[in-house]
Coordinates of all heavy atoms in Angstrom, one line a residue:
L256 N 58.7 135.1 86.0 CA 57.8 134.4 85.1 C 58.5 134.1 83.8 O 59.1 135.0 83.2 CB 56.5 135.2 84.8 CG 55.7 135.7 86.0 CD1 54.5 136.5 85.6 CD2 55.3 134.5 86.9
A257 N 58.4 132.9 83.3 CA 59.1 132.5 82.1 C 58.5 131.3 81.4 O 57.9 130.5 82.1 CB 60.6 132.3 82.3
N258 N 58.6 131.2 80.1 CA 58.2 130.0 79.5 C 59.4 129.0 79.6 O 60.4 129.3 80.1 CB 57.8 130.2 78.0 CG 58.9 130.7 77.1 OD1 60.0 131.0 77.6 ND2 58.7 130.9 75.9
R259 N 59.1 127.8 79.1 CA 60.2 126.7 79.3 C 61.5 127.1 78.6 O 62.5 126.9 79.2 CB 59.6 125.4 78.7 CG 60.7 124.3 78.7 CD 60.1 123.0 78.2 NE 61.1 121.9 78.1 CZ 61.5 121.2 79.2 NH1 60.9 121.4 80.4 NH2 62.4 120.3 79.1
E260 N 61.4 127.7 77.4 CA 62.7 128.1 76.7 C 63.4 129.2 77.5 O 64.6 129.2 77.6 CB 62.3 128.5 75.3 CG 63.5 128.8 74.4 CD 64.4 127.6 74.2 OE1 63.8 126.5 74.3 OE2 65.6 127.7 73.8
G261 N 62.6 130.1 78.1 CA 63.2 131.2 78.9 C 64.0 130.6 80.1 O 65.0 131.1 80.4
L262 N 63.3 129.6 80.8 CA 64.0 129.0 81.9 C 65.2 128.2 81.6 O 66.2 128.3 82.3 CB 63.0 128.2 82.7 CG 61.9 128.9 83.4 CD1 60.9 127.9 84.0 CD2 62.4 129.8 84.5
L263 N 65.1 127.5 80.5 CA 66.3 126.7 80.0 C 67.5 127.6 79.7 O 68.6 127.3 80.1 CB 65.9 125.8 78.8 CG 65.0 124.6 79.1 CD1 64.5 124.0 77.8 CD2 65.6 123.6 80.0
Q264 N 67.2 128.7 79.0 CA 68.3 129.6 78.7 C 68.8 130.3 79.9 O 70.0 130.6 80.0 CB 67.8 130.6 77.6 CG 67.5 130.0 76.2 CD 67.3 131.0 75.2 OE1 67.6 132.1 75.3 NE2 66.6 130.6 74.1
L265 N 67.9 130.6 80.8 CA 68.4 131.2 82.1 C 69.3 130.3 82.8 O 70.3 130.7 83.4 CB 67.2 131.6 82.9 CG 67.5 132.2 84.3 CD1 68.4 133.5 84.2 CD2 66.3 132.5 85.1
R266 N 68.9 129.0 82.9 CA 69.8 128.0 83.6 C 71.2 127.9 82.9 O 72.2 127.9 83.6 CB 69.1 126.6 83.5 CG 69.9 125.5 84.2 CD 69.1 124.2 84.3 NE 68.9 123.7 83.0 CZ 68.2 122.5 82.8 NH1 67.7 121.9 83.8 NH2 68.1 122.0 81.6
E267 N 71.2 128.0 81.6 CA 72.5 128.0 80.9 C 73.3 129.2 81.2 O 74.5 129.1 81.4 CB 72.2 127.9 79.4 CG 73.5 127.9 78.5 CD 73.2 127.9 77.1 OE1 72.1 127.7 76.7 OE2 74.2 128.1 76.3
A268 N 72.6 130.4 81.3 CA 73.3 131.6 81.6 C 73.9 131.6 83.0 O 75.0 132.1 83.3 CB 72.3 132.8 81.4
I269 N 73.1 131.1 84.0 CA 73.6 131.0 85.4 C 74.8 130.1 85.4 O 75.8 130.4 86.2 CB 72.5 130.5 86.3 CG1 71.4 131.5 86.4 CG2 73.0 130.1 87.7 CD1 70.2 131.1 87.2
D270 N 74.8 129.0 84.7 CA 76.0 128.1 84.7 C 77.2 128.8 84.2 O 78.3 128.6 84.7 CB 75.7 126.8 83.8 CG 74.7 125.9 84.5 OD1 74.6 125.9 85.7 OD2 74.1 125.0 83.8
I271 N 77.0 129.6 83.1 CA 78.2 130.4 82.6 C 78.7 131.4 83.6 O 79.9 131.6 83.8 CB 77.8 131.1 81.3 CG1 77.4 130.0 80.2 CG2 78.9 132.0 80.8 CD1 76.9 130.6 78.9
A272 N 77.7 132.0 84.3 CA 78.1 133.0 85.3 C 78.8 132.4 86.5 O 79.8 132.9 87.0 CB 76.9 133.8 85.8
L273 N 78.4 131.2 86.9 CA 79.0 130.4 88.0 C 80.5 130.1 87.6 O 81.4 130.2 88.4 CB 78.3 129.2 88.3 CG 77.0 129.3 89.1 CD1 76.2 128.0 89.1 CD2 77.3 129.8 90.5
Q274 N 80.7 129.7 86.3 CA 82.0 129.3 85.9 C 82.9 130.5 85.7 O 84.1 130.4 86.0 CB 81.9 128.5 84.6 CG 83.2 128.0 84.1 CD 83.0 127.1 82.8 OE1 82.0 127.0 82.3 NE2 84.1 126.5 82.4
N275 N 82.4 131.6 85.1 CA 83.2 132.7 84.7 C 83.1 134.0 85.5 O 83.8 135.0 85.3 CB 82.9 133.1 83.2 CG 83.2 131.9 82.3 OD1 84.4 131.6 82.0 ND2 82.2 131.2 81.8
G276 N 82.2 134.0 86.5 CA 82.0 135.2 87.3 C 80.9 136.1 87.0 O 80.2 136.7 87.8
E277 N 80.6 136.3 85.7 CA 79.5 137.1 85.2 C 79.1 136.8 83.8 O 79.9 136.2 83.0 CB 79.9 138.6 85.3 CG 81.2 139.0 84.6 CD 81.7 140.4 85.0 OE1 82.0 140.6 86.2 OE2 81.8 141.2 84.1
Y278 N 77.9 137.2 83.5 CA 77.4 136.9 82.1 C 76.2 137.8 81.8 O 75.4 138.2 82.8 CB 77.0 135.4 82.0 CG 76.7 135.0 80.6 CD1 77.7 135.0 79.6 CD2 75.4 134.6 80.2 CE1 77.4 134.6 78.3 CE2 75.1 134.2 78.9 CZ 76.1 134.2 78.0 OH 75.9 133.8 76.7
R279 N 76.0 138.1 80.6 CA 74.8 138.9 80.1 C 73.9 138.0 79.4 O 74.2 137.4 78.3 CB 75.2 140.1 79.3 CG 74.0 140.8 78.7 CD 74.3 142.2 78.1 NE 75.3 142.1 77.0 CZ 75.6 143.1 76.2 NH1 75.1 144.3 76.5 NH2 76.4 143.0 75.2
H280 N 72.6 137.8 79.8 CA 71.6 137.0 79.2 C 70.6 137.8 78.5 O 70.0 138.8 79.1 CB 70.9 136.1 80.3 CG 69.8 135.3 79.8 ND1 69.9 134.4 78.7 CD2 68.5 135.2 80.2 CE1 68.8 133.8 78.5 NE2 67.9 134.3 79.4
V281 N 70.4 137.6 77.2 CA 69.4 138.3 76.4 C 68.1 137.5 76.4 O 68.1 136.4 76.0 CB 69.9 138.6 75.0 CG1 68.9 139.4 74.2 CG2 71.3 139.3 75.1
T282 N 67.0 138.2 76.8 CA 65.7 137.5 76.7 C 64.6 138.5 76.3 O 65.0 139.6 75.8 CB 65.4 136.9 78.1 OG1 64.2 136.1 78.0 CG2 65.3 137.9 79.2
S283 N 63.3 138.2 76.5 CA 62.3 139.1 76.1 C 61.1 139.1 77.0 O 60.8 138.1 77.7 CB 61.8 138.7 74.7 OG 60.7 139.5 74.3
S284 N 60.5 140.3 77.2 CA 59.3 140.4 78.0 C 58.1 140.0 77.1 O 58.2 139.7 75.9 CB 59.1 141.8 78.6 OG 59.1 142.7 77.5
S285 N 56.9 140.0 77.7 CA 55.7 139.5 77.1 C 55.2 140.3 75.9 O 54.5 139.9 75.0 CB 54.5 139.4 78.0 OG 54.2 140.6 78.6
D286 N 55.7 141.6 75.8 CA 55.3 142.5 74.7 C 56.3 142.3 73.5 O 56.2 143.0 72.5 CB 55.3 143.9 75.1 CG 56.6 144.4 75.7 OD1 57.5 143.6 75.8 OD2 56.6 145.6 76.2
G287 N 57.3 141.4 73.7 CA 58.2 141.1 72.6 C 59.5 142.0 72.6 O 60.3 141.8 71.7
D288 N 59.6 142.9 73.6 CA 60.7 143.8 73.7 C 61.9 143.0 74.4 O 61.7 142.5 75.5 CB 60.4 145.1 74.4 CG 59.6 146.0 73.6 OD1 59.7 145.9 72.4 OD2 58.9 146.9 74.2
G289 N 63.0 143.0 73.7 CA 64.2 142.3 74.3 C 64.9 143.2 75.3 O 64.8 144.4 75.3
Y290 N 65.5 142.5 76.3 CA 66.3 143.2 77.3 C 67.4 142.3 77.8 O 67.5 141.1 77.5 CB 65.4 143.7 78.4 CG 64.9 142.5 79.3 CD1 65.5 142.1 80.4 CD2 63.7 141.9 78.9 CE1 65.1 141.1 81.2 CE2 63.2 140.9 79.7 CZ 63.9 140.5 80.8 OH 63.4 139.4 81.6
D291 N 68.4 142.9 78.5 CA 69.6 142.2 79.0 C 69.4 142.0 80.5 O 69.0 142.9 81.2 CB 70.8 143.0 78.8 CG 71.2 143.2 77.3 OD1 70.7 142.4 76.5 OD2 71.9 144.2 77.0
L292 N 69.7 140.8 80.9 CA 69.8 140.4 82.3 C 71.2 140.1 82.6 O 71.8 139.2 82.2 CB 68.9 139.2 82.6 CG 69.1 138.6 84.0 CD1 68.5 139.6 85.0 CD2 68.3 137.3 84.1
L293 N 71.8 141.0 83.4 CA 73.2 140.9 83.8 C 73.3 140.1 85.1 O 72.7 140.4 86.1 CB 73.9 142.2 84.0 CG 74.4 143.0 82.8 CD1 75.6 142.3 82.2 CD2 73.3 143.3 81.8
I294 N 74.1 139.0 85.1 CA 74.2 138.1 86.2 C 75.6 138.1 86.7 O 76.6 138.0 86.0 CB 73.9 136.6 85.8 CG1 72.5 136.6 85.1 CG2 74.0 135.7 86.9 CD1 72.2 135.2 84.5
K295 N 75.8 138.3 88.0 CA 77.1 138.4 88.6 C 77.2 137.5 89.8 O 76.4 137.4 90.7 CB 77.3 139.9 89.1 CG 78.6 140.1 90.0 CD 79.8 140.0 89.1 CE 81.1 140.3 89.9 NZ 82.3 140.3 89.1
R296 N 78.3 136.7 89.8 CA 78.6 135.9 91.0 C 79.4 136.8 92.0 O 80.6 137.2 91.7 CB 79.5 134.7 90.5 CG 79.8 133.7 91.7 CD 80.8 132.7 91.2 NE 82.2 133.3 91.1 CZ 83.1 132.9 90.2 NH1 82.9 131.9 89.4 NH2 84.3 133.5 90.2
I297 N 78.8 137.0 93.1 CA 79.5 137.9 94.1 C 80.5 137.1 94.9 O 80.1 136.1 95.5 CB 78.4 138.6 95.0 CG1 77.4 139.4 94.2 CG2 79.1 139.5 96.0 CD1 78.0 140.5 93.4
E298 N 81.7 137.7 95.0 CA 82.7 137.0 95.8 C 82.6 137.4 97.3 O 82.0 138.3 97.6 CB 84.1 137.4 95.2 CG 84.2 137.1 93.7 CD 84.0 135.7 93.3 OE1 84.2 134.8 94.2 OE2 83.8 135.4 92.1
E299 N 83.4 136.7 98.1 CA 83.3 136.9 99.5 C 83.9 138.2 100.0 O 83.5 138.7 101.1 CB 84.1 135.7 100.2 CG 83.5 134.3 100.0 CD 84.2 133.3 100.7 OE1 85.3 133.6 101.4 OE2 83.8 132.1 100.7

């Protein structure tokens, strides 16, 4: 679940992970607490 800004930033983070292998995306839950989403492109 995400608002529009959250989805747009996630898309950008996925693009960076696709290009570089991994990336840490910082976002927030509904209570306002921030957290890290670590994205990894798994190799064969």
Side-chain angles (χ1 to χ4, degrees):
L256 306 180
N258 62 357
R259 177 178 175 80
E260 187 64 22
L262 288 175
L263 289 172
Q264 291 189 20
L265 176 61
R266 182 173 65 180
E267 178 184 349
I269 291 174
D270 286 340
I271 296 174
L273 282 170
Q274 183 179 7
N275 299 286
E277 55 194 60
Y278 190 64
R279 175 167 62 173
H280 175 52
V281 180
T282 187
S283 177
S284 55
S285 59
D286 58 3
D288 285 337
Y290 67 94
D291 296 337
L292 173 64
L293 278 294
I294 305 170
K295 174 70 177 181
R296 186 190 71 209
I297 301 299
E298 306 300 341
E299 294 181 359

